[in-house]
Structures are given as structure tokens and as C-alpha cells.
Amino acid sequence: MGLSKGQKKRLYGENTQVHSPAPSPPAARSRLKAQAEPRVITDYSAAELAAQPEKGGGSYIFVGVAFTVTALFLLYYYLILLPGISTVAGVTAPELMASFDAEHLEALASGLGEEGIRSYQIVHRSTGLILPLIFAFTWWNMVRASRFELLLGRLMLALPLAYAGVFMAGGFALDQAIANPLSSATALASLLIALRWGLFVLCLLQLGYLAVRLVRSKVDAFSRGELPGQS
């Protein structure tokens, strides 16, 4: 038999009901939710949010790395690889000469032997292809970073591209000339190697011009107070 309300009151006292907590008002729940969520600061100025593609610091770093790689390839090719071939053959490698004739190529082929000639041809089809491509790619980026006008920029780009093309063509012409030194390929190979040296000198002069132009632009920007960090 269940107890009546009066009996429960006499038996348990006044606290006969377990009061559930009152529901939080909507305003209190909103404050609790706001405190639990992370705050996102969005008070950036328009200048901070705007893209700034003209700074170009990263592009100069990239060009510097590419130039270093190209310089190392050139040093390896002209100071290590070709002198090694010259030592094995007993005569100077044609790429290190301004011109050569059929007699010189016959002496080179005799000194290298069949195995050495194959290795020499592999050089033309490996390093002899990679080096001019890297060279042209580096010069292309240096000219682009200099921001010439359209026509002048294209003229500046023509020089390293011509050097790369002549470089690769000279290697293949040398392969044919060594296989048959008395053929017309010998004269063509000698012409291409001479042209390669001439274009290389012009590329070095172009590099000097780009360096002077860059330094002059930085000096002018410094005098106008436009360099980063200048107030």
C-alpha cells in the first residue's frame, strides 16, 4: 500500500521531491556556447589581405639556385669530363678547341678506341643534352625576372636558346664526324663547336648586362626609398 503525501512528509521531512535543475534560459545557453567555441580574429586590414605578387623575392631565390646548378654542370663538363676524355685519347677533346680538322679527329678516334668512342657518344647523349637544356632554362628565367619589354625580352631569350640548339647539334655532328672523319660532317662539327664558343661568350656578356641592370635598379629603388624595410 503506497504512502500518502502527508505520510511521506512526516516520514521524510520537507525534502520529499528531487528538484531537477531549471533549464537555462536562451541567453545563458548562447553565452556558454560562445565561450566554448574558439575565437577567430578577422580584424585584418585590407592591405594585409591583398595579394602582393610583385615582391618577387621567391623568384630571385629560384633563379639563384638554377644559376648555381648550371654553373656546376658547366664546371663538371669543361673541367672534369672533357679533360678526362682528352687524357684517355692522348689529344684534346674537340669541344675544348676553337676549330679542328679530320686529322685531329682520326687521332682522337685512334686514342679512344671502339669502347672509348662509345663512351664519348654517350656523353653527347646524356650530359651533352642535359647541360644545354638547363642552361637555356636558367637564362630564360633570368631574362623573365629582369622584366624587359616584350620585343626586347624575346631578343634576349633568343641568345640562350640558340646556344642550347647549337650545343646539342654540335654533339651529334661530332658523333658522325668521328665515325667518318673524312666526311663533310667534320667541317660541320668544327663550325658548330666554334659557333658554340661564340654564343657562350655572348651569353656571358648578356649575364654581365643583366647583373648591371639589376644592381642599377636596386640602387635606384633604394634612392627612392622603395626597397622593403625602408620607411
Side-chain angles (χ1 to χ4, degrees):
M1 180 177 181
L3 299 176
S4 64
K5 186 175 180 180
Q7 291 173 333
K8 290 180 180 179
K9 187 175 182 180
R10 288 193 299 272
L11 181 61
Y12 299 110
E14 297 295 332
N15 299 325
T16 58
Q17 296 180 352
V18 178
H19 299 281
S20 61
S24 302
R29 288 199 299 270
S30 299
R31 285 195 299 270
L32 290 174
K33 184 177 180 181
Q35 292 175 357
E37 294 179 352
R39 296 181 62 189
V40 179
I41 300 175
T42 59
D43 54 345
Y44 295 106
S45 63
E48 292 173 326
L49 291 175
Q52 298 177 348
E54 299 297 330
K55 287 189 175 181
S59 64
Y60 285 119
I61 295 175
F62 174 77
V63 170
V65 172
F67 180 81
T68 302
V69 172
T70 303
L72 291 176
F73 260 94
L74 285 169
L75 292 175
Y76 169 72
Y77 186 73
Y78 283 106
L79 298 183
I80 297 177
L81 196 56
L82 292 180
I85 293 173
S86 301
T87 301
V88 173
V91 295
T92 305
E95 290 93 333
L96 296 177
M97 304 172 63
S99 64
F100 49 87
D101 53 15
E103 184 179 352
H104 185 84
L105 290 185
E106 287 178 340
L108 178 72
S110 176
L112 289 176
E114 293 184 4
E115 187 68 26
I117 290 176
R118 281 195 294 269
S119 299
Y120 188 46
Q121 292 173 342
I122 290 174
V123 168
H124 292 153
R125 295 166 190 175
S126 55
T127 309
L129 294 178
I130 296 173
L131 175 56
L133 293 177
I134 293 178
F135 186 96
F137 176 75
T138 300
W139 250 249
W140 182 77
N141 280 279
M142 288 193 299
V143 172
R144 283 195 50 141
S146 300
R147 295 174 184 170
F148 290 100
E149 295 180 359
L150 181 60
L151 180 58
L152 181 58
R154 288 178 177 177
L155 291 175
M156 297 290 285
L157 285 172
L159 182 58
L161 293 178
Y163 174 76
V166 170
F167 194 108
M168 291 185 287
F172 288 111
L174 270 175
D175 289 340
Q176 296 179 0
I178 291 177
N180 188 5
L182 298 178
S183 67
S184 60
T186 299
L188 176 61
S190 180
L191 176 62
L192 289 174
I193 296 301
L195 185 58
R196 176 198 292 186
W197 279 112
L199 290 172
F200 182 69
V201 172
L202 291 177
C203 285
L204 293 181
L205 294 176
Q206 184 187 54
L207 176 62
Y209 172 73
L210 293 176
V212 171
R213 188 174 183 271
L214 176 62
V215 171
R216 184 179 299 173
S217 66
K218 294 299 182 182
V219 171
D220 292 342
F222 177 78
S223 63
R224 295 191 299 267
E226 297 176 354
L227 289 179
Q230 286 185 289
S231 55

